[in-house]
Amino acid sequence: MSLFRTIKKNAKQKVIESSKKDDSLTKDPLTGIFSEDLQKINKTFERSSDVVIREFSIGSEEKVKAAIIYTDGLADTTSIQTFILDSLMVEAKQMDNTKENLHSRKILQWVKASLLTVGSVAEISDFDSLFTNILSGNTVIFIDGMKVAIGASTGRWEERAISEPASETVVRGPRESFSENIRKNTALIRRKIKDSNLLCEQKEIGRITKTCVAVMYINGIVNEKVVEEVHTRLDRIDIDGILESGNIEELIQDETFTPFPTIYNTERPDVIAAGLLEGRVAILIDGTPFVLIVPSLFIQNFQVPEDYYQRADISTFLRMLRIVCFLISLLGPSFYIAATTYHQEMLPTPLLVSLAAQREGVPFPAFVEALIMEITFEILREAGIRMPRAVGQTVSIVGALVLGQAAVEAGIVSASMVIVVSITAISNFVFPAYNMAISIRMLRFGMMMLAASFGLYGITIGLLALLLHLNSLRSFGIPYMAPFSPFIKDDIKDTIFRFPLKFLGTRPRLISQKNSKRNHTPATSKPEPRE
């Protein structure tokens, strides 16, 4: 069976490579005839009023026809006027060797080397690359008789400034987040890691959108097999458009049918920098502030950057609190249903009498009661997110209070069930990772069904099934439950509890096998008291 999968995988890869070769062979090259090339560009953008085509000439006596094409709104018109048009139309006439360069047809190299004062230029030889450059904010320069055009970097558009993270707030730590500009995002990472081994490899994904995707990692620390696997999965993507990092995440994840996220996403540069220092790989997508990082582990969803900015004892306490909230959010209503339906003998007598008195007028069993409250709370939560910000929070708070109180007074649900559902919902907000919180919300309904059917035995079966499923998951070849399964003693120091930084001397073993020693700080002894 494994041999058949390998043969099928290799055949699919060959088909993809051959299709890419065919695409490269069918690219339409520039002809070098000024009128024909310009006519084709005019025909392509004749219905696009924001694409500007400006014709002019270079030289004073022997003039050469030229043109620039750019997209208004994406290109900086001030830079075009100052660094391109002024250079080609004014400064070129004042140079002594203008006639010589025009006559010898060395004009292309002369323009690139002596006239253009923009930051970066590149040669373009086909129409596909030319259209991509124009629609990316660059300015394309055409010169009569040349089969190669020049793409000048003049991109500049309105964008959101660097602000505080909206979903990953901290009390102590950096207050900057990624934006929708991929260049600004890579700069934020390089600002934290000033090392020449931090590499950034870029590619385009999406036949129509041509979205820029960057892969960043630290050479000498990262596992090359993981980098190769990341590039392989990205190269397999053949889709018309990529609009957000979630599209990439869904297309390259290890397991499709699982509620647990096997790729971590964040909008904080310090989280990405910390992951790169551990040997992980970051995937940045233009147009979104959320950056992907792989491999991802289960325990990573319970850690926040502030854990490393506070003392070890505080961080350990908060991590344990998150684990407790994870159990409450997953099993809170289930234990209540199992205890009140099947295992009343487990409850103290005064509590059992109080619960029985509350449920005396409730017409529904505990499972239906919990289901009504959970669905109602999910509707309120979703409504609070989708409504305008000024109204959303009010609707969530007032709606929960009014509906909860009215449901108890009407005898539809008991007061104890409202308390259980409220504690469960509050515990769900403790998770740092939003996608993990959603997964727990979905799994909660399954655990409630098992508890209503089999009591504590059903909960036990559900937990065993979840544990087996978690142990079967991989994230780019790394076991999802590491360092618990397989058990790695050195990596346990930074999981449920966090040891002081001076004891965290090695990188995660399964993620980075090279340059594993990361902390050479000696353990300082206590100073002796002065007399």
Side-chain angles (χ1 to χ4, degrees):
M1 191 68 180
S2 60
L3 179 61
F4 174 74
R5 289 178 180 175
T6 304
I7 295 173
K8 187 178 179 181
K9 180 179 178 182
N10 293 336
K12 186 178 180 181
Q13 187 66 24
K14 288 181 179 178
V15 170
I16 293 172
E17 291 177 355
S18 62
S19 63
K20 289 183 178 179
K21 290 179 180 178
D22 293 340
D23 291 340
S24 63
L25 292 175
T26 56
K27 286 184 177 180
D28 192 5
L30 301 178
T31 62
I33 303 174
F34 186 79
S35 57
E36 290 186 7
D37 290 341
L38 209 59
Q39 184 180 2
K40 183 169 184 177
I41 296 171
N42 274 309
K43 187 176 181 181
T44 303
F45 295 112
E46 62 181 352
R47 297 185 181 179
S48 300
S49 58
D50 56 342
V51 176
V52 179
I53 301 176
R54 169 78 159 85
E55 297 186 44
F56 58 96
S57 59
I58 303 175
S60 56
E61 298 179 0
E62 294 185 14
K63 296 182 179 181
V64 175
K65 292 181 180 180
I68 61 169
I69 306 101
Y70 63 92
T71 304
D72 190 16
L74 294 181
D76 184 10
T77 54
T78 304
S79 299
I80 295 172
Q81 177 66 38
T82 305
F83 304 124
I84 297 179
L85 288 178
D86 285 351
S87 300
L88 295 177
M89 298 177 66
V90 179
E91 295 179 12
K93 297 179 181 179
Q94 301 173 0
M95 293 186 176
D96 297 334
N97 57 348
T98 301
K99 186 175 181 181
E100 178 185 348
N101 284 300
L102 293 175
H103 181 72
S104 61
R105 313 304 290 176
K106 295 179 180 178
I107 186 170
L108 186 68
Q109 299 301 326
W110 176 56
V111 167
K112 287 175 57 180
S114 303
L115 294 181
L116 295 180
T117 55
V118 293
S120 62
V121 294
E123 294 185 359
I124 303 170
S125 58
D126 59 88
F127 281 100
D128 291 339
S129 301
L130 183 140
F131 296 149
T132 301
N133 271 268
I134 294 173
L135 298 174
S136 298
N138 297 334
T139 299
V140 174
I141 303 165
F142 258 106
I143 301 174
D144 188 15
M146 296 291 106
K147 292 186 177 181
V148 176
I150 301 174
S153 177
T154 56
R156 185 179 180 182
W157 50 84
E158 296 296 327
E159 58 187 28
R160 183 171 61 91
I162 297 174
S163 59
E164 187 173 349
S167 59
E168 299 175 82
T169 57
V170 295
V171 177
R172 180 178 180 179
R175 303 301 175 88
E176 59 186 7
S177 66
F178 290 119
S179 67
E180 286 74 17
N181 189 332
I182 191 172
R183 276 292 151 259
K184 189 178 291 185
N185 295 342
T186 55
L188 287 172
I189 297 174
R190 288 198 178 276
R191 182 182 172 189
K192 294 186 177 296
I193 304 178
K194 305 176 183 68
D195 189 86
S196 59
N197 289 316
L198 177 60
L199 306 182
C200 179
E201 300 174 353
Q202 188 170 305
K203 59 183 66 184
E204 288 183 354
I205 299 179
R207 295 190 302 270
I208 298 177
T209 61
K210 293 180 173 60
T211 305
C212 179
V213 177
V215 178
M216 297 189 74
Y217 58 91
I218 300 179
N219 190 29
I221 295 179
V222 73
N223 188 343
E224 286 84 357
K225 293 183 179 179
V226 175
V227 178
E228 183 180 350
E229 183 65 22
V230 169
H231 282 294
T232 301
R233 296 189 187 187
L234 290 175
D235 292 338
R236 285 181 192 157
I237 298 176
D238 186 12
I239 194 171
D240 57 354
I242 296 294
L243 301 178
E244 214 275 334
S245 59
N247 302 143
I248 296 287
E249 179 180 352
E250 192 171 349
L251 291 169
I252 66 173
Q253 62 186 353
D254 288 67
E255 188 67 37
T256 302
F257 301 103
T258 178
F260 298 100
T262 56
I263 297 177
Y264 193 79
N265 68 84
T266 180
E267 57 178 339
R268 294 186 62 92
D270 55 337
V271 175
I272 296 298
L276 293 174
L277 290 172
E278 287 183 344
R280 290 182 166 91
V281 180
I283 305 172
L284 297 86
I285 297 91
D286 192 23
T288 175
F290 288 92
V291 177
L292 308 179
I293 188 163
V294 295
S296 174
L297 304 180
F298 176 77
I299 194 63
Q300 191 176 351
N301 295 282
F302 300 93
Q303 300 171 351
V304 298
E306 197 174 2
D307 289 346
Y308 302 94
Y309 309 146
Q310 300 281 5
R311 294 200 320 268
D313 51 352
I314 299 175
S315 301
T316 299
F317 170 74
L318 294 177
R319 282 189 182 181
M320 290 183 175
L321 181 64
R322 293 183 204 114
I323 298 296
V324 172
C325 290
F326 164 72
L327 297 175
I328 293 174
S329 179
L330 179 64
L331 304 174
S334 305
F335 270 113
Y336 179 85
I337 294 169
T340 55
T341 306
Y342 294 101
H343 309 284
Q344 296 91 345
E345 68 279 359
M346 296 179 61
L347 301 175
T349 302
L351 178 60
L352 183 61
V353 172
S354 176
L355 293 176
Q358 293 177 30
R359 291 186 49 79
E360 186 176 358
V362 177
F364 303 111
F367 170 68
V368 177
E369 191 181 355
L371 197 62
I372 292 173
M373 289 302 299
E374 285 289 345
I375 293 177
T376 303
F377 191 84
E378 292 297 329
I379 293 173
L380 286 172
R381 189 199 317 242
E382 191 67 17
I385 294 174
R386 305 305 165 197
M387 292 185 68
R389 185 170 298 180
V391 186
Q393 295 180 354
T394 305
V395 169
S396 299
I397 296 172
V398 176
L401 291 174
V402 172
L403 286 177
Q405 183 68 25
V408 172
E409 292 180 357
I412 299 176
V413 296
S414 61
S416 56
M417 179 57 74
V418 174
I419 294 173
V420 171
V421 171
S422 300
I423 294 175
T424 303
I426 294 171
S427 300
N428 193 259
F429 286 115
V430 176
F431 294 118
Y434 179 71
N435 47 3
M436 176 60 77
I438 297 177
S439 302
I440 300 305
R441 283 157 56 185
M442 293 191 302
L443 292 171
R444 188 190 306 152
F445 288 95
M447 299 301 292
M448 287 165 53
M449 293 178 187
L450 289 172
S453 302
F454 306 104
L456 290 179
Y457 300 104
I459 295 176
T460 305
I461 293 171
L463 289 176
L464 288 174
L466 277 180
L467 192 61
L468 291 173
H469 176 68
L470 285 169
N471 279 278
S472 68
L473 294 179
R474 296 288 186 274
S475 178
F476 284 77
I478 305 298
Y480 192 54
M481 288 301 291
F484 303 105
S485 175
F487 182 77
I488 303 172
K489 182 180 178 181
D490 291 338
D491 294 350
I492 293 293
K493 298 176 183 178
D494 188 18
T495 51
I496 298 176
F497 39 81
R498 180 179 81 79
F499 277 33
L501 287 177
K502 61 184 178 181
F503 297 115
L504 301 178
T506 57
R507 309 181 203 277
R509 197 178 75 185
L510 290 181
I511 296 177
S512 175
Q513 288 83 21
K514 300 190 305 181
N515 194 8
S516 60
K517 189 71 174 178
R518 62 180 304 183
N519 189 357
H520 299 273
T521 306
T524 57
S525 58
K526 294 182 179 180
E528 296 182 1
R530 295 182 179 180
E531 296 181 358

